[in-house]
Amino acid sequence: MNTLPNLIHRLSQNPFDYLLNFDVAREYLRLNQTASAVSFFLRCAEYGVDEAGSEDYIYASLLAIAKCYDTQKGRELSVTNTLLQAIAYNDARPEAYFMMANYYERAQQWQECYTFAVMGLGWSYEREEQLVDVGYYGEPCLLFEKAVAAYWIGRKDEALQLFKSLSHDELPDNYKQAIKQNLEKLNAGV
């Protein structure tokens, strides 16, 4: 059984095991104890650096750290810095680009949002297993960020075309609702 006390006991016997550190971090994240989660995700990234097969765990740890920082107020530079580290570590995966675009959307920094969405879309990749849920559900998420930002940087026609295309994709309900609302506003000439 992988309860937190059990995981911590196992980790006390092998403190440099990056997988155990990752499992402990994920459990702290599940419990919304972000400071503890960050600590163990950092340990995973540090101890996994020379281990074969650790690449996905290191990347996921960096994403999770950014996610934790994003829930804490006043950590904006920590969020973007950690996501930039994730991109530098593996620039061929889409999640960090998506998280960066989404971060800039929420900050209403539209050119940055658009740029990171386009950068993420520039790669050809299959949707890989996600070790940590960061809200990325495939390429349509990057297209959504691009569409939102396109409107705000003066590319209304591009935004309209993207939203129309996205309206046919299988996405979670929150995306479907946002796409519908954006189409209604764009078609109304707002």
Side-chain angles (χ1 to χ4, degrees):
M1 180 174 254
N2 280 338
T3 65
L4 186 57
N6 181 287
L7 287 169
I8 290 173
H9 176 72
R10 289 176 44 213
L11 188 61
S12 72
Q13 296 170 340
N14 192 0
F16 301 108
D17 183 326
Y18 75 93
L19 288 172
L20 279 173
N21 278 284
F22 186 83
D23 289 341
V24 169
R26 203 161 41 177
E27 188 63 18
Y28 274 122
L29 182 60
R30 186 185 69 75
L31 297 170
N32 203 30
Q33 296 183 21
T34 57
S36 296
V38 165
S39 175
F40 287 97
F41 280 126
L42 283 170
R43 289 168 55 98
C44 172
E46 180 182 352
Y47 299 146
V49 75
D50 293 325
E51 299 289 331
S54 65
E55 296 82 9
D56 288 343
Y57 290 91
I58 293 171
Y59 183 76
S61 291
L62 292 169
L63 298 181
I65 291 166
K67 181 178 177 177
C68 290
Y69 287 152
D70 200 28
T71 65
Q72 302 167 358
K73 300 297 179 209
R75 302 299 303 263
E76 293 80 13
L77 290 177
S78 296
V79 173
T80 56
N81 184 48
T82 305
L83 290 172
L84 289 171
Q85 288 178 39
I87 290 168
Y89 183 75
N90 186 348
D91 65 357
R93 286 200 58 159
E95 297 92 346
Y97 294 107
F98 164 72
M99 290 177 71
M100 194 69 103
N102 182 262
Y103 172 84
Y104 283 123
E105 178 202 345
R106 290 180 283 121
Q108 297 182 353
Q109 293 179 307
W110 306 114
Q111 186 60 59
E112 291 85 348
C113 174
Y114 186 88
T115 299
F116 277 99
V118 168
M119 288 169 57
L121 289 165
W123 293 97
S124 296
Y125 42 72
E126 296 288 323
R127 182 163 180 233
E128 298 183 38
E129 175 189 0
Q130 293 183 35
L131 298 170
V132 176
D133 180 15
V134 294
Y136 179 75
Y137 309 107
E139 186 178 273
C141 292
L142 284 164
L143 290 170
F144 178 85
E145 294 298 338
K146 182 180 179 183
V148 170
Y151 172 79
W152 291 102
I153 62 171
R155 297 178 177 197
K156 180 182 174 185
D157 291 340
E158 179 182 4
L160 184 59
Q161 181 270 325
L162 286 168
F163 282 127
K164 283 180 181 176
S165 175
L166 285 166
S167 69
H168 304 292
D169 288 344
E170 280 299 314
L171 286 165
D173 287 340
N174 60 323
Y175 276 95
K176 288 179 185 177
Q177 187 62 30
I179 290 165
K180 180 181 175 189
Q181 289 172 349
N182 279 294
L183 281 171
E184 287 170 358
K185 288 178 185 176
L186 288 170
N187 286 325
V190 175

Short mmCIF file of all heavy atoms in Angstrom, two decimals, residues 7-42:
data_model
loop_
_atom_site.label_atom_id
_atom_site.label_comp_id
_atom_site.label_asym_id
_atom_site.label_seq_id
_atom_site.Cartn_x
_atom_site.Cartn_y
_atom_site.Cartn_z
N LEU A 7 5.07 5.35 2.27
CA LEU A 7 6.05 5.89 1.32
C LEU A 7 7.21 6.57 2.04
O LEU A 7 8.38 6.39 1.66
CB LEU A 7 5.38 6.88 0.37
CG LEU A 7 4.46 6.30 -0.69
CD1 LEU A 7 3.66 7.40 -1.37
CD2 LEU A 7 5.27 5.52 -1.72
N ILE A 8 6.90 7.33 3.07
CA ILE A 8 7.96 8.02 3.82
C ILE A 8 8.86 7.01 4.51
O ILE A 8 10.09 7.17 4.55
CB ILE A 8 7.36 9.04 4.80
CG1 ILE A 8 6.77 10.20 4.01
CG2 ILE A 8 8.41 9.55 5.78
CD1 ILE A 8 6.00 11.21 4.82
N HIS A 9 8.27 5.94 5.04
CA HIS A 9 9.09 4.89 5.67
C HIS A 9 10.03 4.26 4.64
O HIS A 9 11.22 4.08 4.90
CB HIS A 9 8.19 3.82 6.31
CG HIS A 9 8.97 2.68 6.87
ND1 HIS A 9 9.72 2.79 8.02
CD2 HIS A 9 9.15 1.42 6.41
CE1 HIS A 9 10.32 1.64 8.25
NE2 HIS A 9 9.99 0.79 7.28
N ARG A 10 9.49 3.94 3.47
CA ARG A 10 10.33 3.36 2.41
C ARG A 10 11.41 4.34 1.98
O ARG A 10 12.55 3.95 1.72
CB ARG A 10 9.46 2.94 1.22
CG ARG A 10 8.60 1.72 1.54
CD ARG A 10 7.65 1.32 0.42
NE ARG A 10 8.25 1.35 -0.90
CZ ARG A 10 7.59 1.65 -2.01
NH1 ARG A 10 6.30 1.96 -1.96
NH2 ARG A 10 8.18 1.65 -3.17
N LEU A 11 11.05 5.62 1.90
CA LEU A 11 12.02 6.63 1.50
C LEU A 11 13.12 6.80 2.54
O LEU A 11 14.28 7.04 2.20
CB LEU A 11 11.32 7.97 1.26
CG LEU A 11 12.16 9.09 0.65
CD1 LEU A 11 12.67 8.70 -0.74
CD2 LEU A 11 11.34 10.37 0.56
N SER A 12 12.78 6.63 3.81
CA SER A 12 13.80 6.75 4.86
C SER A 12 14.86 5.66 4.73
O SER A 12 16.00 5.83 5.16
CB SER A 12 13.16 6.70 6.25
OG SER A 12 12.70 5.39 6.55
N GLN A 13 14.50 4.56 4.09
CA GLN A 13 15.44 3.47 3.89
C GLN A 13 16.25 3.65 2.60
O GLN A 13 17.29 3.01 2.44
CB GLN A 13 14.69 2.13 3.86
CG GLN A 13 14.03 1.82 5.19
CD GLN A 13 13.09 0.62 5.10
OE1 GLN A 13 12.65 0.25 4.02
NE2 GLN A 13 12.80 0.04 6.25
N ASN A 14 15.75 4.47 1.70
CA ASN A 14 16.44 4.70 0.44
C ASN A 14 16.17 6.14 -0.01
O ASN A 14 15.44 6.38 -0.97
CB ASN A 14 15.95 3.70 -0.61
CG ASN A 14 16.82 3.68 -1.83
OD1 ASN A 14 17.80 4.41 -1.92
ND2 ASN A 14 16.43 2.88 -2.81
N PRO A 15 16.78 7.13 0.68
CA PRO A 15 16.42 8.53 0.46
C PRO A 15 16.81 9.10 -0.91
O PRO A 15 16.31 10.15 -1.30
CB PRO A 15 17.16 9.27 1.57
CG PRO A 15 18.26 8.36 1.96
CD PRO A 15 17.77 6.96 1.73
N PHE A 16 17.67 8.42 -1.64
CA PHE A 16 18.12 8.95 -2.93
C PHE A 16 17.41 8.31 -4.12
O PHE A 16 17.78 8.54 -5.26
CB PHE A 16 19.64 8.76 -3.07
CG PHE A 16 20.39 9.45 -1.97
CD1 PHE A 16 21.00 8.72 -0.97
CD2 PHE A 16 20.47 10.84 -1.92
CE1 PHE A 16 21.68 9.36 0.06
CE2 PHE A 16 21.14 11.48 -0.90
CZ PHE A 16 21.75 10.74 0.10
N ASP A 17 16.37 7.56 -3.86
CA ASP A 17 15.59 6.92 -4.91
C ASP A 17 14.65 7.96 -5.52
O ASP A 17 13.70 8.41 -4.88
CB ASP A 17 14.80 5.75 -4.33
CG ASP A 17 14.00 4.98 -5.38
OD1 ASP A 17 13.52 5.59 -6.35
OD2 ASP A 17 13.86 3.76 -5.22
N TYR A 18 14.93 8.35 -6.76
CA TYR A 18 14.14 9.41 -7.38
C TYR A 18 12.67 9.01 -7.54
O TYR A 18 11.78 9.85 -7.43
CB TYR A 18 14.75 9.85 -8.72
CG TYR A 18 14.56 8.89 -9.86
CD1 TYR A 18 13.48 9.01 -10.73
CD2 TYR A 18 15.45 7.85 -10.09
CE1 TYR A 18 13.30 8.14 -11.79
CE2 TYR A 18 15.29 6.97 -11.14
CZ TYR A 18 14.20 7.12 -11.99
OH TYR A 18 14.02 6.25 -13.04
N LEU A 19 12.39 7.72 -7.78
CA LEU A 19 11.01 7.28 -7.94
C LEU A 19 10.23 7.39 -6.63
O LEU A 19 9.07 7.82 -6.62
CB LEU A 19 10.96 5.85 -8.47
CG LEU A 19 11.35 5.68 -9.93
CD1 LEU A 19 11.45 4.20 -10.30
CD2 LEU A 19 10.39 6.40 -10.85
N LEU A 20 10.87 7.00 -5.54
CA LEU A 20 10.21 7.14 -4.24
C LEU A 20 9.98 8.61 -3.90
O LEU A 20 8.91 8.98 -3.38
CB LEU A 20 11.03 6.47 -3.14
CG LEU A 20 10.89 4.97 -3.01
CD1 LEU A 20 11.88 4.41 -1.99
CD2 LEU A 20 9.47 4.58 -2.63
N ASN A 21 10.96 9.46 -4.20
CA ASN A 21 10.77 10.89 -3.97
C ASN A 21 9.62 11.43 -4.81
O ASN A 21 8.82 12.23 -4.32
CB ASN A 21 12.07 11.65 -4.28
CG ASN A 21 13.04 11.61 -3.12
OD1 ASN A 21 12.85 12.31 -2.13
ND2 ASN A 21 14.06 10.77 -3.24
N PHE A 22 9.51 10.95 -6.04
CA PHE A 22 8.41 11.37 -6.90
C PHE A 22 7.07 10.92 -6.32
O PHE A 22 6.11 11.71 -6.28
CB PHE A 22 8.60 10.80 -8.31
CG PHE A 22 7.58 11.30 -9.29
CD1 PHE A 22 7.75 12.51 -9.93
CD2 PHE A 22 6.44 10.54 -9.57
CE1 PHE A 22 6.80 12.97 -10.84
CE2 PHE A 22 5.50 11.00 -10.48
CZ PHE A 22 5.68 12.22 -11.11
N ASP A 23 7.00 9.69 -5.87
CA ASP A 23 5.74 9.18 -5.30
C ASP A 23 5.34 9.94 -4.05
O ASP A 23 4.15 10.24 -3.85
CB ASP A 23 5.86 7.68 -5.01
CG ASP A 23 5.89 6.84 -6.28
OD1 ASP A 23 5.47 7.33 -7.34
OD2 ASP A 23 6.33 5.66 -6.19
N VAL A 24 6.31 10.26 -3.20
CA VAL A 24 6.02 11.04 -1.99
C VAL A 24 5.53 12.43 -2.39
O VAL A 24 4.54 12.94 -1.85
CB VAL A 24 7.25 11.12 -1.06
CG1 VAL A 24 7.05 12.14 0.05
CG2 VAL A 24 7.56 9.74 -0.46
N ALA A 25 6.21 13.05 -3.36
CA ALA A 25 5.82 14.38 -3.82
C ALA A 25 4.40 14.38 -4.37
O ALA A 25 3.60 15.27 -4.06
CB ALA A 25 6.80 14.86 -4.89
N ARG A 26 4.09 13.38 -5.17
CA ARG A 26 2.76 13.31 -5.76
C ARG A 26 1.69 13.14 -4.68
O ARG A 26 0.59 13.69 -4.79
CB ARG A 26 2.71 12.17 -6.78
CG ARG A 26 1.63 12.34 -7.79
CD ARG A 26 1.79 11.55 -9.04
NE ARG A 26 2.26 10.19 -8.83
CZ ARG A 26 2.40 9.30 -9.78
NH1 ARG A 26 2.11 9.63 -11.02
NH2 ARG A 26 2.82 8.09 -9.53
N GLU A 27 2.01 12.38 -3.65
CA GLU A 27 1.06 12.21 -2.55
C GLU A 27 0.85 13.52 -1.80
O GLU A 27 -0.27 13.87 -1.45
CB GLU A 27 1.54 11.09 -1.62
CG GLU A 27 0.55 10.71 -0.56
CD GLU A 27 -0.76 10.13 -1.08
OE1 GLU A 27 -0.83 9.70 -2.25
OE2 GLU A 27 -1.75 10.13 -0.31
N TYR A 28 1.94 14.26 -1.57
CA TYR A 28 1.80 15.58 -0.93
C TYR A 28 0.99 16.52 -1.82
O TYR A 28 0.17 17.29 -1.33
CB TYR A 28 3.17 16.20 -0.62
CG TYR A 28 3.74 15.76 0.70
CD1 TYR A 28 4.99 15.13 0.76
CD2 TYR A 28 3.07 15.99 1.90
CE1 TYR A 28 5.53 14.73 1.97
CE2 TYR A 28 3.59 15.59 3.12
CZ TYR A 28 4.83 14.97 3.14
OH TYR A 28 5.35 14.58 4.35
N LEU A 29 1.19 16.45 -3.13
CA LEU A 29 0.43 17.28 -4.04
C LEU A 29 -1.06 16.91 -3.98
O LEU A 29 -1.92 17.79 -3.95
CB LEU A 29 0.95 17.12 -5.48
CG LEU A 29 0.28 17.97 -6.54
CD1 LEU A 29 0.41 19.46 -6.25
CD2 LEU A 29 0.88 17.65 -7.91
N ARG A 30 -1.34 15.62 -3.92
CA ARG A 30 -2.73 15.17 -3.81
C ARG A 30 -3.38 15.73 -2.55
O ARG A 30 -4.56 16.07 -2.53
CB ARG A 30 -2.79 13.64 -3.80
CG ARG A 30 -4.21 13.07 -3.85
CD ARG A 30 -4.22 11.57 -3.71
NE ARG A 30 -3.83 11.13 -2.38
CZ ARG A 30 -4.60 11.20 -1.30
NH1 ARG A 30 -5.81 11.70 -1.37
NH2 ARG A 30 -4.18 10.75 -0.13
N LEU A 31 -2.60 15.86 -1.48
CA LEU A 31 -3.09 16.39 -0.21
C LEU A 31 -3.06 17.92 -0.17
O LEU A 31 -3.38 18.52 0.85
CB LEU A 31 -2.26 15.83 0.95
CG LEU A 31 -2.34 14.31 1.14
CD1 LEU A 31 -1.30 13.85 2.15
CD2 LEU A 31 -3.74 13.90 1.58
N ASN A 32 -2.66 18.54 -1.29
CA ASN A 32 -2.57 19.99 -1.41
C ASN A 32 -1.56 20.60 -0.44
O ASN A 32 -1.71 21.73 0.00
CB ASN A 32 -3.94 20.66 -1.27
CG ASN A 32 -3.97 22.02 -1.92
OD1 ASN A 32 -3.25 22.27 -2.88
ND2 ASN A 32 -4.77 22.91 -1.37
N GLN A 33 -0.53 19.87 -0.12
CA GLN A 33 0.57 20.37 0.70
C GLN A 33 1.72 20.71 -0.25
O GLN A 33 2.68 19.96 -0.41
CB GLN A 33 0.97 19.33 1.75
CG GLN A 33 -0.14 19.07 2.75
CD GLN A 33 0.28 18.10 3.83
OE1 GLN A 33 1.47 17.90 4.10
NE2 GLN A 33 -0.70 17.49 4.48
N THR A 34 1.58 21.87 -0.89
CA THR A 34 2.45 22.20 -2.01
C THR A 34 3.90 22.43 -1.61
O THR A 34 4.80 22.10 -2.39
CB THR A 34 1.90 23.41 -2.77
OG1 THR A 34 1.78 24.52 -1.88
CG2 THR A 34 0.56 23.09 -3.41
N ALA A 35 4.16 23.00 -0.46
CA ALA A 35 5.55 23.23 -0.05
C ALA A 35 6.30 21.91 0.09
O ALA A 35 7.43 21.76 -0.38
CB ALA A 35 5.61 24.03 1.25
N SER A 36 5.67 20.94 0.73
CA SER A 36 6.29 19.62 0.86
C SER A 36 6.41 18.95 -0.50
O SER A 36 7.43 18.31 -0.79
CB SER A 36 5.47 18.74 1.81
OG SER A 36 5.48 19.28 3.11
N ALA A 37 5.39 19.09 -1.33
CA ALA A 37 5.44 18.49 -2.66
C ALA A 37 6.62 19.04 -3.45
O ALA A 37 7.37 18.28 -4.08
CB ALA A 37 4.12 18.74 -3.40
N VAL A 38 6.81 20.36 -3.42
CA VAL A 38 7.93 20.98 -4.15
C VAL A 38 9.24 20.38 -3.68
O VAL A 38 10.12 20.04 -4.50
CB VAL A 38 7.93 22.51 -3.98
CG1 VAL A 38 9.25 23.12 -4.41
CG2 VAL A 38 6.77 23.13 -4.76
N SER A 39 9.41 20.24 -2.39
CA SER A 39 10.66 19.70 -1.85
C SER A 39 10.97 18.32 -2.42
O SER A 39 12.11 18.06 -2.84
CB SER A 39 10.56 19.64 -0.31
OG SER A 39 11.70 19.03 0.23
N PHE A 40 9.99 17.45 -2.45
CA PHE A 40 10.24 16.09 -2.93
C PHE A 40 10.32 16.01 -4.46
O PHE A 40 11.06 15.18 -4.99
CB PHE A 40 9.20 15.12 -2.36
CG PHE A 40 9.45 14.84 -0.90
CD1 PHE A 40 8.76 15.53 0.08
CD2 PHE A 40 10.41 13.91 -0.51
CE1 PHE A 40 9.01 15.30 1.42
CE2 PHE A 40 10.66 13.67 0.83
CZ PHE A 40 9.96 14.37 1.80
N PHE A 41 9.59 16.89 -5.17
CA PHE A 41 9.76 16.93 -6.62
C PHE A 41 11.17 17.41 -6.97
O PHE A 41 11.79 16.91 -7.91
CB PHE A 41 8.71 17.84 -7.28
CG PHE A 41 7.36 17.20 -7.45
CD1 PHE A 41 6.22 17.83 -6.96
CD2 PHE A 41 7.21 16.00 -8.12
CE1 PHE A 41 4.97 17.25 -7.13
CE2 PHE A 41 5.96 15.41 -8.29
CZ PHE A 41 4.84 16.05 -7.79
N LEU A 42 11.68 18.38 -6.20
CA LEU A 42 13.07 18.83 -6.42
C LEU A 42 14.06 17.70 -6.19
O LEU A 42 15.02 17.53 -6.94
CB LEU A 42 13.39 20.01 -5.50
CG LEU A 42 12.84 21.36 -5.92
CD1 LEU A 42 13.02 22.39 -4.80
CD2 LEU A 42 13.50 21.86 -7.19
#
